[in-house]
Amino acid sequence: MGTLAAAIPVTAAATAASGHAGGRRRRPRGSVAVRCSSAADERQALFSRIAPVYDHLNDVLSLGQHRTWKRICVSWSMAKRGDRVLDLCCGSGDLAFLLSQKVGLDGEVMGVDFSGQQLQTAASRQDQRWKACYKNIKWIEGDALDLPFTDRYFDAVTVGYGLRNVVDRPKAMREILRVLKPGSRASVLDFNKSSSFFTASLQSWAIDNVVVPLASSYGLTEEYKYLKSSISHYLTGEELEKLAKEAGFSSGKHYELGGGLMGNLVATR
């Protein structure tokens, strides 16, 4: 049970472990560390702080609906049995576990995140919620802007609530394109930056009056205040479609979910 330590095709530069103040950070068993962008250090620290309560808050704040949206995201990636797939910005592993069930023991799942603490949580969940197929998951601490994989390596890529937090989204999309095989899909789930005044107002009200007050009970007020500004600086569905095309994808289509509060970009190489 648990994660499996195994070699993956990475460049020599990408396999260099990052140094951390106060000593070396423990990594999840079976994980590989690669360098992260220094510009992302602040966001990396934020997600490490919220890691212990991240899953619980997701359940409470979405009334469990985030599980439905994540299943849709994985389904739209078109991952199938025997595929090698990437869950980028994997966090505590929800999409990676769903992908594992899709590709089965004959497939491979790489879960990449820049937060070592989130990966520790994912590895613990892998042990606690063990299924035979979960043996195909490897956790990798890495940078979305410099993925440690060869070109055309994956049959599908998912990103759950991660692209919004990447400091250089065009570069991240180009990296996703690079590691995808021709004809394969990237499925990107996140909060929707709605062009509807009603939906945007509802989303803003919910963050101010539900999300942040609940997070404050865990001592995470400032961490979840960040959510509102991150959505306001994110891209609309139309802009995400344009981003995919400009990165080199042959097509990109954005779908609204959850009454327009969430959105999912499907981009085909």
Side-chain angles (χ1 to χ4, degrees):
M1 298 202 303
T3 57
L4 295 180
I8 58 173
V10 298
T11 64
T15 55
S18 301
H20 300 279
R24 181 173 295 177
R25 178 194 299 163
R26 288 182 59 206
R27 294 196 296 272
R29 297 190 310 280
S31 72
V32 178
V34 299
R35 59 184 175 85
C36 295
S37 169
S38 60
D41 284 350
E42 184 177 340
R43 297 180 190 185
Q44 182 182 33
L46 184 153
F47 282 94
S48 293
R49 290 194 299 272
I50 68 175
V53 297
Y54 183 73
D55 292 311
H56 175 66
L57 283 175
N58 280 346
D59 278 329
V60 173
L61 294 170
S62 73
L63 301 177
Q65 286 301 299
H66 73 101
R67 300 183 185 280
T68 297
W69 303 326
K70 288 170 181 175
R71 284 195 293 270
I72 290 171
C73 176
V74 168
S75 176
W76 284 349
S77 76
M78 299 299 288
K80 62 186 183 302
R81 185 165 295 277
D83 279 354
R84 180 190 294 129
V85 299
L86 169 65
D87 181 25
L88 183 59
C89 306
C90 66
S92 58
D94 277 356
L95 293 179
F97 293 127
L98 292 171
L99 285 166
S100 174
Q101 295 174 54
K102 282 279 188 181
V103 304
L105 285 171
D106 295 331
E108 296 178 66
V109 180
M110 308 290 183
V112 172
D113 201 277
F114 68 174
S115 169
Q117 187 61 50
Q118 289 277 12
L119 293 174
Q120 288 281 2
T121 301
S124 295
R125 296 177 73 203
Q126 186 179 22
D127 286 339
Q128 295 164 6
R129 307 181 182 188
W130 187 81
K131 292 186 178 181
C133 60
Y134 290 173
K135 292 190 294 184
N136 63 16
I137 305 175
K138 302 177 184 69
W139 308 110
I140 303 160
E141 185 177 344
D143 187 352
L145 306 182
D146 187 16
L147 294 174
F149 307 106
T150 57
D151 295 353
R152 303 182 180 188
Y153 190 66
F154 293 104
D155 298 290
V157 174
T158 60
V159 187
Y161 300 98
L163 185 62
R164 172 173 42 88
N165 298 303
V166 174
V167 295
D168 188 340
R169 297 183 195 112
K171 187 174 181 180
M173 287 300 292
R174 291 194 297 271
E175 273 293 273
I176 291 170
L177 177 79
R178 180 183 65 79
V179 300
L180 266 177
K181 295 178 182 178
S184 297
R185 283 185 176 185
S187 184
V188 183
L189 172 68
D190 216 311
F191 284 92
N192 181 39
K193 183 178 179 180
S194 179
S195 56
S196 162
F197 175 78
F198 173 78
T199 302
S201 298
L202 176 61
Q203 189 178 66
S204 178
W205 180 91
I207 292 171
D208 289 340
N209 295 279
V210 180
V211 175
V212 173
L214 180 59
S216 68
S217 67
Y218 292 88
L220 297 170
T221 302
E222 295 304 316
E223 286 81 356
Y224 274 82
K225 277 185 178 178
Y226 162 78
L227 180 60
K228 189 173 181 178
S229 65
S230 74
I231 295 172
S232 69
H233 289 97
Y234 194 40
L235 304 177
T236 64
E238 185 176 340
E239 289 168 338
L240 284 166
E241 292 175 352
K242 182 180 178 182
L243 178 69
K245 296 283 187 62
E246 290 178 345
F249 286 88
S250 63
S251 66
K253 180 67 176 176
H254 185 265
Y255 302 90
E256 293 190 349
L257 301 171
L261 297 175
M262 304 293 152
N264 199 104
L265 172 70
V266 178
T268 303
R269 174 164 179 173

